[in-house]
Amino acid sequence: MTPTEFVRRALGYALGLGMPAAVLSPLFTGARDSFPLSTYPMFAQPRGQPTLYSVVALEADGREARLPPSLIGTKEVLQAKVLIQHSVEAGPEAMAQLCADAAARVAAAPGFSDARSIAIVQRRYDPVDYFVKGPTPLAEQRLFECALSPGATAPAPR
Amino acid sequence: MTPPLLRALDRWLFAPVPRERLALLRLAIGGYAWIYLLARARDLLAPAQFPASAFAPLGIVSLLDAPLPAAALYAVYGLSVLSGALFVLGAAYRSVAPVFALCLLWVLSYRHSWGMIFHTDNLLVLHVSLLALAPAADAYAYPRRAAGGDSLHNGWVVRALCLVTCAAYVVAGVAKLELSGIRWAGGSALREQIAYDALRKIELGSVHSPLGPWLLPHRWLFAPLSVFSLAAELLAPLALLGGRWAASWCLGAWLFHLGVLATMAIVFPYPLSGVAFLAFFPLERWFARATRRTSG
């Protein structure tokens, strides 16, 4: 075997077996989910009765409409979930900011002309029961509410 | 004296692979990555406007303490698009390919560094990285150049692409067993997952698949679906046997992703496109056959 061939073979072994071993490594190291080496937890975790946060527009008669991610400040639903959750965890100041930003976007958006205020809501559900028995939450709490500001300038999407 | 097992491993890992197959994999996987970068441009550049407080660096981006300035993000993205085009063409491959692989890894890792990891891009990055370290531009490259070295020792690249694919599916399958136990195969965990996914989308004012909630009252369906999902993941190594084994597993894995799309509206574009599974097949023979057919 020539030195060049030896190096090629060594590289082949190192990468050809090393890369798959790295992909498998979270199974043995207990490493946290990362990228591109992942523990792939997405469909694996039991969900139980999760608490979900949402931002809603409240109308004068008490009806509410869920705000889509674009009015919360992102295009992606998962990113919207993270934005709301971070704000809730960070406390009233962060919730006030999220609420005010959403209120300004809603004021400038079509389809929310009856909205009077914006609220950040926490609800606990049994997800299967929601669809099989009916959409009643197990628990519900309004965490923050802010008034709509007509004519406000919508902040840039986050 | 080499032990027989090591000799067998050596023969398997370095089984001859025509340089045309590596080149076709470069065209398909690199082409997919390049189009993907362009198609997701808005989304990949969105972090330029995210609040710094949401920055949660992971992987290679953990080198940073704070988000990049917007100009730097745009510059790395631009470099990834440019090097991606050259990667697909096979131009200046030895120097450009690692740059593209690194840029792709960076751009996607950076996008995932804002509190939410999307698991749809992992295989793509790993596949591009492997191809970038291999002589995958010895054929079908522009500008055309003389093939370098002997291609018979490059079989490890194709093996590695297949091994990495199988490993990712096995990890996903084992994660289900680790976090939920064998109960996962009973169906209730999958049923709960589909319900949870639709519910969180409703709560966030987004679109959910109507099929998932429609299936939920039919509890009996979920055990066979769960067993199928687990099998698609845990039996991935069978694909390494090649031939019909590989074709059957690839079809099973593709159907699994189709099921995820249908019931949860979650798109895994790389496997769904089929490109993620190409390394299991003799592409050069398909290509030659197709060329013969089109040339009459």
Side-chain angles (χ1 to χ4, degrees), chain A:
Chain A
M1 194 184 291
T2 65
T4 316
E5 196 179 335
F6 176 79
V7 171
R8 273 193 193 169
R9 275 188 128 63
L11 184 75
Y13 271 108
L15 291 169
L17 299 180
M19 192 89 100
V23 174
L24 288 172
S25 65
L27 291 180
F28 308 106
T29 60
R32 287 191 328 171
D33 194 20
S34 187
F35 183 85
L37 302 182
S38 174
T39 55
Y40 297 97
M42 59 275 188
F43 307 136
Q45 287 159 331
R47 295 297 176 180
Q49 297 178 335
T51 297
L52 300 173
Y53 302 101
S54 57
V55 183
V56 299
L58 300 171
E59 297 177 2
D61 60 6
R63 282 187 303 175
E64 63 175 50
R66 302 312 194 256
L67 297 193
S70 58
L71 294 179
I72 294 164
T74 176
K75 258 180 62 189
E76 278 171 356
V77 63
L78 294 179
Q79 200 72 47
K81 175 179 175 270
V82 171
L83 276 175
I84 302 170
Q85 200 159 336
H86 279 179
S87 301
V88 171
E89 285 164 4
E93 209 172 302
M95 282 194 281
Q97 184 63 53
L98 177 74
C99 200
D101 286 353
R105 287 191 195 96
V106 167
F112 288 93
S113 53
D114 294 334
R116 294 289 172 269
S117 62
I118 300 297
I120 299 172
V121 183
Q122 167 187 292
R123 294 189 179 100
R124 193 162 60 83
Y125 287 105
D126 182 312
V128 173
D129 282 354
Y130 178 97
F131 293 103
V132 175
K133 294 181 180 165
T136 313
L138 300 169
E140 184 172 10
Q141 191 183 354
R142 199 170 287 177
L143 300 175
F144 200 90
E145 190 171 341
C146 59
L148 269 188
S149 42
T153 311
R158 293 197 272 181

Side-chain angles (χ1 to χ4, degrees), chain B residues 52-121:
Chain B
S53 59
F55 186 56
L58 55 83
I60 188 174
V61 179
S62 302
L63 296 169
L64 297 180
D65 293 327
L68 286 175
L73 175 60
Y74 291 133
V76 177
Y77 175 78
L79 184 59
S80 68
V81 172
L82 181 66
S83 57
L86 296 173
F87 179 99
V88 177
L89 289 172
Y93 193 77
R94 284 180 77 167
S95 43
V96 164
V99 173
F100 176 54
L102 204 59
C103 285
L104 183 71
L105 173 65
W106 182 273
V107 168
L108 293 176
S109 301
Y110 194 75
R111 181 61 189 86
H112 296 220
S113 291
W114 299 86
M116 197 71 225
I117 307 177
F118 302 88
H119 297 94
T120 49
D121 299 331

Side-chain angles (χ1 to χ4, degrees), chain B residues 137-177:
Chain B
D138 284 353
Y140 308 130
Y142 183 86
R144 193 178 287 185
R145 59 193 173 88
D150 102 59
S151 66
L152 297 184
H153 289 115
N154 297 326
W156 69 266
V157 187
V158 177
R159 296 294 196 202
L161 289 170
C162 297
L163 279 169
V164 156
T165 307
C166 293
Y169 281 89
V170 167
V171 173
V174 173
K176 290 180 179 61
L177 296 180

Side-chain angles (χ1 to χ4, degrees), chain B residues 18-28 88 135-141:
Chain B
R19 55 175 62 93
E20 286 78 11
R21 188 182 304 181
L22 265 186
L24 288 168
L25 286 169
R26 181 199 89 235
L27 285 168
V88 177
D138 284 353
Y140 308 130

Side-chain angles (χ1 to χ4, degrees), chain B residues 198-238:
Chain B
L199 175 56
R200 77 174 173 184
K201 284 172 179 160
I202 290 170
E203 282 294 296
L204 292 166
S206 183
V207 182
H208 67 280
S209 159
L211 180 64
W214 185 78
L215 293 175
L216 289 172
H218 310 286
R219 183 195 293 257
W220 61 272
L221 268 173
F222 291 89
L225 287 176
S226 299
V227 170
F228 175 75
S229 304
L230 267 183
E233 293 177 333
L234 295 174
L235 298 181
L238 287 178

